[in-house]
Amino acid sequence: MKQPDKFSMRTETQEGRCIVYMGGELDLESAAQMRAAMAPLVELTDRELVLNLRDLEYIDSTGIGILVSVVKARHANEAPFTVEAIPPGIRKLFDMTGITPFLITSQQT
C-alpha cells in the first residue's frame, strides 16, 4: 500500500511578492502546520501573497477552509492574493465548491 505523501511548504520572497509553494496532501492532519505558517504571511500586506499549488496532490475541506480564510483576510486588508499552478484535479474541486473566482486572477488561464 502506498504511503500518503506528507504536506510540505516552502516560502520564497521576491520583490513585491511572497510565494508559498505547497506540495503533498493538505488535509486535517496538516492543517495546523499550514495555518501556523500562513498567519504571519497573511499580514504582509505590502506585497502580493501567491500560493503555488503545482505539487499539491490532495486538499480536503479543512484545507479549502484555510484558503477561504486567507482570501477573506487578504481582502479585508486590501492586500493582493493569487493562487497559481493549480493541478487539474484540485482546480475541479475548487470549481465544484465555487471558490475558483476568488483564487484566480484574470491573468491566469
Side-chain angles (χ1 to χ4, degrees):
M1 179 179 260
K2 182 182 180 257
Q3 185 78 0
D5 291 331
K6 298 293 181 193
F7 179 69
S8 65
M9 286 181 68
R10 177 176 60 86
T11 303
E12 179 180 303
T13 303
Q14 298 176 351
E15 187 175 327
R17 301 176 83 193
C18 179
I19 304 172
V20 180
Y21 296 89
M22 296 186 180
E25 299 185 357
L26 176 53
D27 56 16
L28 182 60
E29 184 179 330
S30 55
Q33 175 188 350
M34 183 190 175
R35 244 188 230 106
M38 291 299 296
L41 301 177
V42 169
E43 300 303 318
L44 296 176
T45 59
D46 63 333
R47 66 191 70 176
E48 179 183 16
L49 178 59
V50 179
L51 298 186
N52 182 301
L53 305 184
R54 182 186 66 224
D55 296 325
L56 194 66
E57 298 171 5
Y58 174 81
I59 187 171
D60 70 3
S61 60
T62 308
I64 290 173
I66 295 169
L67 285 179
V68 169
S69 68
V70 170
V71 169
K72 287 181 179 181
R74 296 295 286 186
H75 181 75
N77 291 327
E78 298 180 0
F81 175 70
T82 305
V83 178
E84 64 183 20
I86 304 170
I90 292 176
R91 180 182 292 269
K92 184 176 180 179
L93 181 60
F94 289 171
D95 290 345
M96 289 179 358
T97 58
I99 66 169
T100 303
F102 303 102
L103 302 178
I104 301 175
T105 65
S106 59
Q107 291 84 14
Q108 292 180 307
T109 57

